Each structure stands twice: as C-alpha cells, then as structure tokens.
Amino acid sequence: MSLQLFLNFALAFVWMFLSSNYTSTGFIIGYLLGIVLLFAMRRFLETRLYIYRVWALVKLTMLFLKELVLANIQVLKVVLKPKLDMQPAFFAYPTVLTKEWEITLLSSLITLTPGTVVVHVSDDAKTLYVHAIDISDVDEAIAAIRNSFEKAILEVSES
Amino acid sequence: MMILTNSVVILFITIGVIFIVVTAIGLVRLPDLYTRAHAASKSATLGVMCILIGVFLHFWLIEDHFNPRILLGILFLFITGPVGGHIMTRSSYIAGVKPWKGTVRDDLGPEIERMKKEQGIQ
C-alpha cells in the first residue's frame, strides 16, 4: 500500500514538472491522472489497488458513526427506564483477527457500540471478554459483532 | 442562512448536553461499576463530541474562524474514551470488584482465576 501511495505521489510530481505548474491544482490533477495510470497497471502490482482499501476504511467509519449513535440511544433508554430490569453478563467472544492493531481497533469499536464494553483480552489474544449491559441471546450478540465490525476490519486489512 | 446555521449549532449543543445529563443520571442509577462504565464511556464521549462540533461550527460559520484544534480534540476523545472504559473495568475486575447480583452469566471469572494462579497471586 505504501509503495502504491509513493508511486502515486511521484507521478503527481512528474506531472507538475511536465506541465511546469507548481500549484496545488497541478498536484491534484497529477494525482488523479496517477490513479488512472495505477488502475491501468494494476496487473503488475503485488497487492490490490490502495483505493479499495481507502474505500473500505470510509465504509468502516460510516458503520462506526451509525453504531455510536445507536449505542447512545440504547444507553439513554436503559438509564431512563423507570424499572431497572436489564440483565448484564460477561461473555467470551472468540476473534479471528490476528494482528495487534486489528484487535485494538475491534476492542475500541466494541466499547463504543450498543451495550458492550471490552473488559479483558486473553493472553493469547484469541478471545475478548465482553461485558454486555442487557443480554438476551449471547450467540446473537456474537454474530452481530462478527458480521459487522470484524468483517469490515478484515476488508480493510486484506492485502 | 444565519437562522439555519444557528439552529444547527443549537441542535448539536443541545444533543450533547442531553447525553451528558444521561451520563450523570446513569452514574447515579445503575447498580454496579460495570454497568456504570457503559454510561460513562459511551454517552460522555458522544456528548462532549457533539458539544465540540457545535462550538467548531459556531466559530467557523458565524465568527469566520477555522479552528483545527477542536477537530483534533474530537479525534483524541475518540481514541482515548474507549481505552479509559476498558482499563477501568479490567483493573476493577482483577482487583476483585464483584458484579451486580443480577448478572446472568460470567465467563470472565474463571479466566481471571486462572491468570492469577499462573502469576502466583493469591
């Protein structure tokens, strides 16, 4: 990814020198032309085009903002309910992520989303212990995390 | 245009204040440390974030002063908020704070016991 980014920057500078237009507009035009060139040459790149990765990151951010707002509405409902009848629980969540930054990102996202706070990460980093404020079905909660966040993070990190 | 920007600013700050009030009520009402951590780590983050966005928009659109420090503040809050909640709950569990009696399931207890035995504590 960093190699592709560097190539794109280099192409943008080449364009600036070719057109002897040393302004930010010239740089942006060169950068866009560089993306087109990289797209045309994508067969020779070892990893996939970095634009896909940037797009996956944008999707992850959107998902996160949506879940953050939902989380707060849920906490608001729990707190303002006249009777406290929630069922808190600690459950283990087995994760398939391996890199440390992925696990950190997943823990932060789980903590800021509806009804869950990560309490402990096991020593081998294969299990997250999550505290849920209101648990009706553990398997359902696990599946929800797996299908939304873990999938989005995998999409970002795949090369 | 002025009315529109003003109402957007007011909307953001109102939402932020509402969430902070909810955080405070949650800290008083909820039964144990772990459920309180939910209120503190989520609602407080979003509440302060909404207020900062409102302040940013006010100074940018009305006073015509673009202040990137507020945006950086929002980013730092995002990064540090959940970590704070995680560290506080984890250290309390290891220090032996008991969860509320209504807790229906506890997978974490055995794991912490095993960890303590391994490291020779207790």
Side-chain angles (χ1 to χ4, degrees):
Chain A
M1 167 151 176
S2 46
L3 176 72
Q4 293 178 25
L5 213 57
F6 176 73
L7 258 178
N8 210 160
F9 266 86
L11 286 170
F13 278 109
V14 168
W15 174 259
M16 279 161 80
F17 284 121
L18 276 177
S19 56
S20 50
N21 173 9
Y22 307 107
T23 58
S24 50
T25 326
F27 180 80
I28 292 169
I29 292 172
Y31 197 86
L32 293 177
L33 288 172
I35 289 178
V36 173
L37 268 182
L38 277 179
F39 182 72
M41 300 279 179
R42 66 189 179 284
R43 268 191 60 197
F44 302 101
L45 299 171
E46 286 184 357
T47 53
R48 85 199 148 124
L49 205 60
Y50 77 95
I51 302 297
Y52 294 120
R53 219 167 178 180
V54 172
W55 178 238
L57 207 61
V58 170
K59 273 201 291 193
L60 182 64
T61 314
M62 288 297 151
L63 177 75
F64 169 65
L65 286 178
K66 192 190 93 188
E67 295 284 328
L68 182 68
V69 172
L70 289 181
N72 281 281
I73 292 169
Q74 198 219 16
V75 168
L76 192 143
K77 269 191 207 153
V78 168
V79 166
L80 298 184
K81 225 188 214 172
K83 211 171 127 226
L84 285 177
D85 56 354
M86 72 267 192
Q87 299 178 305
F90 293 92
F91 66 88
Y93 172 72
T95 178
V96 297
L97 301 175
T98 48
K99 295 194 199 78
E100 276 184 11
W101 68 267
E102 292 171 345
I103 293 169
T104 313
L105 185 61
L106 183 68
S107 318
S108 297
L109 292 181
I110 290 175
T111 300
L112 281 178
T113 51
T116 46
V117 168
V118 175
V119 180
H120 180 69
V121 181
S122 70
D123 294 337
D124 56 357
K126 288 203 175 102
T127 317
L128 304 180
Y129 291 89
V130 182
H131 181 259
I133 197 169
D134 191 5
I135 195 93
S136 37
D137 189 0
V138 175
D139 298 328
E140 205 173 285
I142 291 179
I145 296 174
R146 174 149 293 153
N147 288 332
S148 56
F149 287 126
E150 207 163 46
K151 222 166 91 186
I153 292 176
L154 277 177
E155 212 168 292
V156 172
S157 71
E158 102 185 86
S159 62
Chain B
M1 197 58 209
M2 196 69 173
I3 297 171
L4 186 72
T5 33
N6 266 330
S7 34
V8 170
V9 169
I10 290 171
L11 184 77
F12 268 113
I13 294 185
T14 317
I15 292 175
V17 171
I18 287 174
F19 277 128
I20 286 182
V21 170
V22 165
T23 309
I25 297 174
L27 286 180
V28 175
R29 276 200 74 197
L30 292 174
D32 69 344
L33 188 145
Y34 305 101
T35 45
R36 281 176 189 157
H38 281 272
S41 68
K42 283 183 233 207
S43 308
T45 309
L46 189 71
V48 176
M49 207 192 78
C50 280
I51 291 179
L52 282 180
I53 291 176
V55 171
F56 174 74
L57 288 178
H58 173 85
F59 276 99
W60 188 28
L61 299 173
I62 296 171
E63 315 260 322
D64 207 19
H65 169 70
F66 185 85
N67 194 341
R69 260 171 284 175
I70 297 180
L71 295 180
L72 280 180
I74 293 172
L75 187 68
F76 290 151
L77 267 179
F78 256 139
I79 298 170
T80 52
V83 178
H86 166 70
I87 289 295
M88 279 187 281
T89 47
R90 182 169 186 269
S91 50
S92 327
Y93 203 101
I94 292 175
V97 177
K98 290 273 171 295
W100 183 43
K101 61 182 187 315
T103 305
V104 291
R105 179 174 164 167
D106 197 348
D107 290 350
L108 182 57
E111 162 77 9
I112 296 286
E113 283 300 312
R114 194 190 58 75
M115 220 177 74
K116 278 184 175 168
K117 213 166 279 168
E118 227 167 60
Q119 296 177 359
I121 311 166
Q122 279 184 352

